Amino acid sequence: MRQNNLSVHSENILPIIKKWLYSDKDIFLRELVSNATDALNKLNILREQSQAEAEGKLEISVAIDKSAKTITITDTGIGMTEEEVEKYIAQIAFSGAEEFVAKYQSETEKDPIIGHFGLGFYSAYMVASRVDIATLSYLPDSKPVFWSCDGTSAYSIGAGTHSTRGTQITLHLDDQNLEYLEETKVQELLKRYCTFMPFPITLNEKPLGNKAPLWLKAPNECSEKEYLEFYHQLFPLDPDPLFWVHLNVDYPFHLQGILFFPKIHRRFDSQESAIKLFCNRVFVSDHCKDVLPDYLMILRGAIDSPDIPLNVSRSYLQIDQNVRQLSSHIAKKIADRLANFYKTEKDNYIAAWPEIELFLKLGTLQDEKFYDRIKDLLIWKNSEDLWTTIPEYLERKEDKKIYYTSSDRASPLLQIYKDKKIEILFAPLPIDIAIIQFLEKKLSTTFQRIDGQLDSSLLDPARDKTLLDAEGKSEATRIADFIRASLDQKDLEIEAKSLSSDVLPALLLLDENQRRLRDYIALTQGKHASPFQPKKTFVVNTNSKLIQAILRLQQKHPSAAQQMAQGIYNLSLLGQGEVEPGDLDRAVSGQMQVLEKLADLL
Ligand code: ADP
């Protein structure tokens, strides 16, 4: 047995590896099983080229020995000669670890991407105080080799006893990491990282049951049942997904995978990604926050690509050409799938709309290219209870103005528009305001909220109350004065107008620009972050029977009339959801008093 030293710079490296990767030390098993897989793959290739006369099974076994405090990973791959151990383990693998340390040592903040760094063989030292390699190369007349290193720079190498082809790595666990002697723990890790690996894996002689992932199969050979089974294998607690896309790209990068659109209408949370990233069937991570734009993060599934450079820093990922092409390819495939869904199963598409609309809308806002692909798939419910797209709506509308309401309910105001045969779109989601702004710019059109301004189509000029009384005031002015005095709200604009409908006593208009700004702030910074309220205009209908009756009541019972005017205002606020939570009680008790007075009068 010879003694040797790893390298001149090495003294500090192993302690640093231990410290740095402490939180993600589980990955040592992934790294060692991946190395074993590579060794088996290499043997397979040599076999196919008839360069290796390798017999016997190609497999990986993991064994735990509690009394010896070891965990051993054995493969029947190509093995290593003494020169190879020197070269690949002591020099090359070591320089990889050294590079890693040089890169990350100076950074103070722990980057989650750190765990993705392919540290390889040396990650074993995160959990072990000593690692032994016993190996026999596939090459004819090879001799077994034994290498051992206790985590310092010194190692020993010499003749070994491993008599079967392949490599056996034994980790002598240190006292802080004895949890890896628990079979359940190791099994959980193998299931997490190695479920889709290509060679049979056993743990303490029990098969892991790993198998080829569905994404490797040609899409036209996969059945619906297989897709659903695969989905439930990845996400056992989820209901069936809505639809899926099978990705298979060879150029300009390699990518395979299956992405599912989940059925649950989950709160959108960009932190919670459920796309599992694999690299050559080895599970790498379920954080692909940096690889895909936020809106694609709603999807669930798996992508496998050797071309995603996971071992580099986050800022690099964002500018990496492959990564950008990858997201745009995924986005395109999803858009194509949605277009097909809309075209071939419109009713199902509409039924699924509440679950997918947020995705399409976020995609619209975050990725213009995506919007271009799905613009005809953005649908809106209208006041006739039908679904329409904006281009279809505009085709029906001469003035090219789009009327909408941000309420999701029918209202007397909506009814007036309906009576006038004006089509109104429902846009009740908080994100709709951002979509509307986007579409206005994109389509050079205007979205007019029904309670944003008094549309001329609601007025009836023929019944304008313009006749002047003795004081030179029109009836409209008198009504406005009376309401103004009754409400006593200094920031409130009050107008009395002749509306075409007699049913609606009054309506409250909110300044559209200010309201959009307020809603936008609420959308981005939370509901209570808005610093102001939009300017309000209270339009009283001079043709309303109720208003006329209150006006008459004013002569005999001025205070009752005043309270009724306040009641109408409060009800308008309530109807539009504009009552501040703190004012709600006051509005309700005010209403009760009005009813009490009314009951008294009758
Ligand atoms: P990487 O796998 O990224 O090349 P590693 O540090 O994991 O880096 O391993 C270094 C090298 O050691 C490998 O490239 C391979 O040549 C050799 N090696 C490691 N494990 C095995 C194994 N189980 N069988 C054969 N060779 C191995």
Side-chain angles (χ1 to χ4, degrees):
M1 196 73 55
R2 288 182 295 111
Q3 301 297 315
N4 209 340
N5 282 315
L6 286 169
S7 134
V8 276
H9 315 290
S10 61
E11 278 80 6
N12 299 323
I13 289 185
L14 297 176
I16 289 174
I17 287 178
K18 278 191 179 204
K19 186 167 148 259
W20 258 102
L21 291 177
Y22 191 75
S23 63
D24 207 2
K25 59 191 176 183
D26 289 350
I27 62 153
F28 82 89
L29 196 59
R30 176 188 81 189
E31 297 295 320
L32 296 180
V33 176
S34 298
N35 278 352
T37 304
D38 287 347
L40 290 162
N41 263 331
K42 285 177 192 160
L43 190 77
N44 227 357
I45 292 167
L46 291 171
R47 248 187 195 179
E48 278 161 18
Q49 297 171 345
S50 312
Q51 291 189 38
E53 231 181 82
E55 280 166 19
K57 277 194 191 156
L58 300 186
E59 60 188 4
I60 299 167
S61 55
V62 180
I64 298 169
D65 183 338
K66 278 198 172 177
S67 57
K69 296 185 188 169
T70 59
I71 175 165
T72 303
I73 295 110
T74 311
D75 65 70
T76 54
I78 51 169
M80 285 179 274
T81 61
E82 186 168 337
E83 292 73 43
E84 284 170 338
V85 175
E86 284 275 11
K87 189 170 161 201
Y88 297 132
I89 299 293
Q91 292 168 24
I92 298 183
F94 193 77
S95 64
E98 201 175 33
E99 190 190 317
F100 165 82
V101 171
K103 211 164 192 164
Y104 286 102
Q105 198 178 13
S106 56
E107 290 180 25
T108 45
E109 200 192 328
K110 252 192 192 177
D111 193 324
I113 214 91
I114 211 161
H116 306 158
F117 199 98
L119 242 198
F121 172 74
Y122 276 87
S123 59
Y125 287 97
M126 290 191 290
V127 297
S129 54
R130 196 178 98 211
V131 181
D132 301 333
I133 302 177
T135 179
L136 176 66
S137 165
Y138 77 97
L139 290 167
D141 307 324
S142 294
K143 297 205 168 52
V145 184
F146 184 80
W147 177 94
S148 180
C149 176
D150 65 1
T152 62
S153 56
Y155 66 86
S156 58
I157 187 164
T161 54
H162 194 65
S163 57
T164 47
R165 183 202 65 232
T167 303
Q168 181 166 66
I169 314 261
T170 302
L171 278 61
H172 298 265
L173 296 174
D174 59 32
D175 287 343
Q176 289 83 50
N177 291 296
L178 297 179
E179 58 189 296
Y180 296 105
L181 294 176
E182 295 307 323
E183 191 174 308
T184 45
K185 166 87 183 172
V186 175
Q187 183 172 35
E188 178 204 310
L189 294 184
L190 287 173
K191 279 213 175 327
R192 179 134 80 102
Y193 291 116
C194 310
T195 298
F196 298 119
M197 282 183 153
F199 298 101
I201 301 175
T202 57
L203 171 61
N204 289 345
E205 295 178 1
K206 288 183 272 272
L208 179 72
N210 54 314
K211 57 177 184 190
L214 193 62
W215 65 73
L216 291 182
K217 232 172 138 176
N220 55 4
E221 285 171 18
C222 300
S223 67
E224 178 169 335
K225 190 164 163 266
E226 283 177 304
Y227 282 118
L228 294 177
E229 268 171 20
F230 178 65
Y231 184 74
H232 292 304
Q233 189 181 359
L234 294 178
F235 308 104
L237 300 176
D238 271 18
D240 285 355
L242 280 172
F243 59 86
W244 49 86
V245 174
H246 196 142
L247 304 160
N248 200 342
V249 192
D250 278 332
Y251 182 81
F253 50 83
H254 293 280
L255 170 80
Q256 285 167 315
I258 305 171
L259 293 180
F260 295 86
F261 208 104
K263 200 176 235 159
I264 25 183
H265 190 50
R266 60 184 63 242
R267 195 177 69 80
F268 178 69
D269 184 352
S270 58
Q271 299 295 316
E272 188 201 301
S273 145
I275 298 177
K276 297 181 189 293
L277 282 185
F278 291 79
C279 181
N280 290 326
R281 303 165 65 161
V282 181
F283 174 74
V284 180
S285 162
D286 33 24
H287 299 283
C288 56
K289 219 163 121 16
D290 303 297
V291 184
L292 296 177
D294 283 354
Y295 73 100
L296 290 179
M297 229 61 93
I298 288 178
L299 304 170
R300 298 163 86 69
I303 51 181
D304 184 353
S305 171
D307 293 337
I308 303 174
L310 284 164
N311 54 351
V312 286
S313 80
R314 181 179 286 229
S315 52
Y316 179 77
L317 266 183
Q318 277 153 4
I319 51 163
D320 183 77
Q321 188 71 3
N322 274 347
V323 169
R324 261 188 296 149
Q325 286 182 338
L326 179 104
S327 10
S328 89
H329 180 83
I330 293 177
K332 180 181 174 308
K333 287 295 241 184
I334 299 285
D336 290 349
R337 179 70 183 84
L338 285 165
N340 186 269
F341 190 12
Y342 185 64
K343 214 168 93 190
T344 58
E345 298 173 71
K346 201 161 176 181
D347 288 346
N348 287 340
Y349 181 89
I350 290 171
W353 180 248
E355 320 214 33
I356 62 175
E357 70 173 318
L358 195 57
F359 170 76
L360 278 111
K361 287 174 178 174
L362 280 168
T364 295
L365 297 177
Q366 289 176 6
D367 179 355
E368 283 220 32
K369 265 204 201 143
F370 180 73
Y371 164 72
D372 283 336
R373 296 203 169 95
I374 58 103
K375 60 180 172 220
D376 294 335
L377 314 178
L378 282 174
I379 54 171
W380 307 82
K381 193 184 218 167
N382 73 9
S383 38
E384 299 304 316
D385 229 12
L386 298 171
W387 292 88
T388 181
T389 66
I390 298 291
E392 287 165 356
Y393 179 99
L394 287 173
E395 227 164 76
R396 289 189 289 270
K397 205 83 169 26
E398 261 165 38
D399 63 1
K400 302 294 169 208
K401 225 197 263 173
I402 299 162
Y403 287 78
Y404 78 101
T405 170
S406 47
S407 160
D408 54 0
R409 292 164 284 132
S411 67
L413 181 59
L414 187 80
Q415 189 57 45
I416 297 175
Y417 278 97
K418 269 179 86 168
D419 294 345
K420 292 264 169 192
K421 303 265 174 289
I422 296 174
E423 181 180 348
I424 311 292
L425 299 184
F426 286 97
L429 290 189
I431 195 175
D432 286 336
I433 199 70
I435 291 289
I436 283 171
Q437 306 259 63
F438 174 86
L439 292 178
E440 281 181 337
K441 260 202 224 127
K442 203 75 198 166
L443 307 174
S444 309
T445 180
T446 313
F447 278 73
Q448 183 172 311
R449 192 152 15 190
I450 56 173
D451 51 1
Q453 69 186 72
L454 195 58
D455 195 70
S456 57
S457 56
L458 300 184
L459 295 172
D460 181 3
R463 291 194 287 164
D464 265 350
K465 306 275 189 296
T466 48
L467 217 63
L468 301 183
D469 62 10
E471 293 169 36
K473 280 187 179 174
S474 68
E475 191 184 331
T477 315
R478 274 200 300 118
I479 293 175
D481 285 351
F482 161 67
I483 299 288
R484 198 171 289 118
S486 305
L487 300 185
D488 192 26
Q489 301 253 346
K490 62 178 180 338
D491 294 328
L492 183 69
E493 192 84 24
I494 291 169
E495 292 175 6
K497 295 278 184 201
S498 160
L499 301 188
S500 57
S501 158
D502 298 358
V503 186
L504 193 68
L507 72 107
L508 190 67
L509 303 174
L510 299 165
D511 182 272
E512 180 69 7
N513 285 336
Q514 292 179 5
R515 190 176 183 186
R516 284 188 186 189
L517 188 61
R518 177 194 67 178
D519 293 350
Y520 192 74
I521 294 172
L523 175 67
T524 51
Q525 293 166 30
K527 206 162 164 42
H528 301 293
S530 193
F532 65 90
Q533 287 301 321
K535 189 173 168 306
K536 296 186 183 78
T537 305
F538 191 48
V539 179
V540 187
N541 184 4
T542 55
N543 302 324
S544 150
K545 287 206 184 86
L546 177 58
I547 296 292
Q548 293 291 343
I550 293 174
L551 221 57
R552 283 195 300 277
L553 188 68
Q554 192 204 356
Q555 314 297 330
K556 271 204 274 175
H557 300 283
S559 81
Q562 189 187 18
Q563 270 188 330
M564 284 187 181
Q566 284 165 353
I568 293 176
Y569 178 64
N570 282 337
L571 286 175
S572 304
L573 282 174
L574 275 171
Q576 258 151 307
E578 289 291 327
V579 181
E580 294 286 308
D583 293 341
L584 198 64
D585 287 346
R586 211 159 38 85
V588 171
S589 64
Q591 220 34 54
M592 294 298 180
Q593 282 174 23
V594 172
L595 290 175
E596 194 184 311
K597 278 229 164 76
L598 201 63
D600 224 24
L601 286 175
L602 291 172

